[in-house]
Amino acid sequence: MKNFLVVFILFLSNNCYSQYNFYFGNIHSHSAYSDGNKDSTATGYNTPGENFSFAKGSYHMDFLGIAEHNHFSSINNPGMHVADYAKGLYQADTANKEGTFVCMYGMEWGVIDNGGHLVTYGIPGLVGWETGSGGWGPTNNYNIFCAKTDYSKFWRIVNTYPKAFTTLAHPQDNDYNNLIEGTLNTSADSAIVGVAVRSGAAFSTTTDYSDPAPSAYYYPVYYAALAKGFHVGPTCDQDNHYTNFGRTNQMRTVVLAKSLKRDSIMAAYKAMRFYATDDWNIQVNFTVNGSYMGTDTTSSSNSVINVSVVDPDVSDNVSRIDIYYGVPGSGSNPTQLKSITNNSILNYTHTTTLGNKFYYFVRVTQADGNVIYTSPIWVHRNLTTTPVTLIDFSGKQQDNAINLSWINATQNIQNFFEIERSVNGVNFYLLDSLSSNTDHFIDAQPENGLNFYRLKQINIDGSFTYSPITTVNFNNPAVKIIQINPNPVTSQLNIFVTSKKSENITCKIYSAEGREVKNITAALIEGKNKINADVSTLSTGKYFIVISKPDLRITESTFIKL
């Protein structure tokens, strides 16, 4: 029994209370196995394995998915062979490095004309329709048969595999057999997790991140899908056909996952725990009643919405945050619920009534014009409201602590309060007990990232109620860069960091074009540390420093090389 309790406690500490990390990547790209690497003669890159190697050196890229066109012949002649699909899966497994970089291999199923493309992962064989002896060889060009444009069967195939999912690649009106225009297809809703709000530029040859976000956008399809009742989130991927994986522009799809492992990234996509961004390192936290983006939940209270935005680039300011909402299945597009300008935090309570069903999502606009769309959170108000006796329960970071405050509207019925905290919005634990006349609390040891708080109000008669959940984003990483000198530098660079504990880290240096040029490992001790880097052979220009450890990018900075 004792051993069971130890194992159970370890399970809680390692799983129930763990937070999500932000991982940046792209799952819509191609190798020479179909119609990618069009510049292979010049670059020497052809195979999925070679392309994964290229992407690992790109700035702010944690994962890459290569999705080959699933067929051999069409107007564009993608040239996919069934035998190559198995090779691609093997190369993804070989290149995958858990905790450092995730490699995924899948397919872009379908055709453009009278069809629509679907970026798909998690199916162990190639799904296709080409039979006989074509240019692919003497056998059928598929492992799993599905007739061209038979999207109804394709949804069923995806749903056969528990980890599989698909996204609408660059959706047009009437695509997928009028999927968005027709009645809600529940099989498709189960299979589809995302809709591209931006895509491309597919045939760009840029490798220095200088392309702007593509002008082609598909957010009206995303809006229409939500209005129809689909449970989908927004994606934006580069659709690389040349050797520039991650380096065409700064556009990324960002997933919230517990670790940088393939199963965790796949699970985040399945849960729609992701957002689409034009910015390569922005972190957006969005919750409703403590639930993360992608959640379909019920509530007995009003919808308490918390949004916070963090961008390591100090010049990337938030121009506007908009909360949108709509009624799933209503056929009406989402509308703006609340907005704020020139602020990176927006907290808002939406008053609802019994029986209300809403979805909420966030659009963030930065001062430079970059736009971010989050996945929605679906909320069904299906329980009666418990009386709430608190007014303005909120919190904010103050130095190395979080200051919580509230106004108690009915002090005469409370016996005492209990303040509870969670790091995942689900599993709460007791921090402290407080007298009924208390109106604030200092959490001196918050977790880095999102902290969820609620008050348990224990009344004189023994009954109790919970307050709405308030969320505070605590930005105090375990490792900080406190000084870089000399800067500018000619040869020897000294990077001074502080660490809360002894641990091993990786310090990578990237050029202004986002290519990794130096990789240093260091064993930090608790307190102040110095990392030495010989940069004498680097060219003149601006460089990025990124300090990370397995599963987590910790901190970053810049320097100038003379």
Side-chain angles (χ1 to χ4, degrees), residues 98-113:
E98 303 280 60
T100 302
F101 193 92
V102 167
C103 304
M104 301 160 58
Y105 195 75
M107 73 194 85
E108 184 174 3
W109 192 87
V111 294
I112 289 291
D113 295 336

Side-chain angles (χ1 to χ4, degrees), residues 3-159:
N3 290 337
F4 170 78
L5 289 176
V6 170
V7 172
F8 182 67
I9 290 170
L10 287 173
F11 171 78
L12 287 178
S13 62
N14 293 330
N15 293 278
C16 293
Y17 300 129
S18 59
Q19 285 187 302
Y20 294 118
N21 299 313
F22 296 87
Y23 299 119
F24 297 73
N26 170 23
I27 62 168
H28 187 177
S29 64
H30 310 283
S31 81
Y33 283 180
S34 58
D35 62 345
N37 295 118
K38 292 182 180 296
D39 51 355
S40 60
T41 301
T43 66
Y45 287 85
N46 284 279
T47 67
E50 292 167 342
N51 295 335
F52 289 131
S53 177
F54 182 96
K56 288 176 180 178
S58 298
Y59 191 48
H60 285 295
M61 280 286 286
D62 298 308
F63 62 91
L64 175 70
I66 295 178
E68 309 288 12
H69 288 280
N70 73 298
H71 50 99
F72 180 84
S73 58
S74 74
I75 295 174
N76 295 318
N77 190 30
M80 182 63 189
H81 297 75
V82 62
D84 287 335
Y85 193 76
K87 294 178 184 177
L89 290 172
Y90 174 78
Q91 290 172 46
D93 289 343
T94 303
N96 190 56
K97 189 173 182 182
E98 303 280 60
T100 302
F101 193 92
V102 167
C103 304
M104 301 160 58
Y105 195 75
M107 73 194 85
E108 184 174 3
W109 192 87
V111 294
I112 289 291
D113 295 336
N114 298 315
H117 281 169
L118 298 164
V119 174
T120 308
Y121 289 87
I123 298 177
L126 183 67
V127 182
W129 54 79
E130 294 168 315
T131 60
S133 56
W136 55 87
T139 60
N140 296 331
N141 197 32
Y142 56 81
N143 301 115
I144 303 167
F145 177 77
C146 183
K148 182 168 62 174
T149 73
D150 188 354
Y151 290 94
S152 293
K153 182 175 180 179
F154 189 77
W155 313 136
R156 295 195 299 271
I157 292 172
V158 173
N159 291 330

Side-chain angles (χ1 to χ4, degrees), residues 154-176:
F154 189 77
W155 313 136
R156 295 195 299 271
I157 292 172
V158 173
N159 291 330
T160 299
Y161 300 94
K163 295 182 180 180
F165 63 85
T166 191
T167 67
L168 310 187
H170 26 67
Q172 302 289 340
D173 292 340
N174 305 318
D175 271 357
Y176 321 108

Side-chain angles (χ1 to χ4, degrees), residues 166-246:
T166 191
T167 67
L168 310 187
H170 26 67
Q172 302 289 340
D173 292 340
N174 305 318
D175 271 357
Y176 321 108
N177 295 337
N178 295 315
L179 179 69
I180 305 301
E181 291 75 14
T183 58
L184 179 67
N185 184 319
T186 56
S187 180
D189 188 34
S190 179
I192 301 168
V193 300
V195 175
V197 292
R198 290 196 198 271
S199 180
F203 299 103
S204 171
T205 59
T206 300
T207 58
D208 63 358
Y209 308 89
S210 61
D211 278 0
S215 57
Y217 53 84
Y218 307 96
Y219 73 84
V221 180
Y222 176 50
Y223 285 13
L226 294 175
K228 183 66 62 178
F230 282 97
H231 293 76
V232 290
T235 66
C236 58
D237 296 303
Q238 295 179 1
D239 192 7
N240 310 91
H241 287 74
Y242 286 80
T243 309
N244 49 10
F245 304 95

Side-chain angles (χ1 to χ4, degrees), residues 59 484 487 489 493 508-518 535-546 556-562:
Y59 191 48
I484 298 173
N487 189 12
V489 61
L493 184 70
K508 293 183 178 181
I509 297 178
Y510 294 83
S511 67
E513 293 77 27
R515 293 179 177 85
E516 182 184 321
V517 295
K518 191 170 284 290
V535 297
S536 58
T537 59
L538 300 183
S539 302
T540 301
K542 181 179 180 180
Y543 290 85
F544 302 98
I545 300 172
V546 176
E556 56 189 84
S557 188
T558 60
F559 70 91
I560 301 297
K561 169 65 167 59
L562 295 178

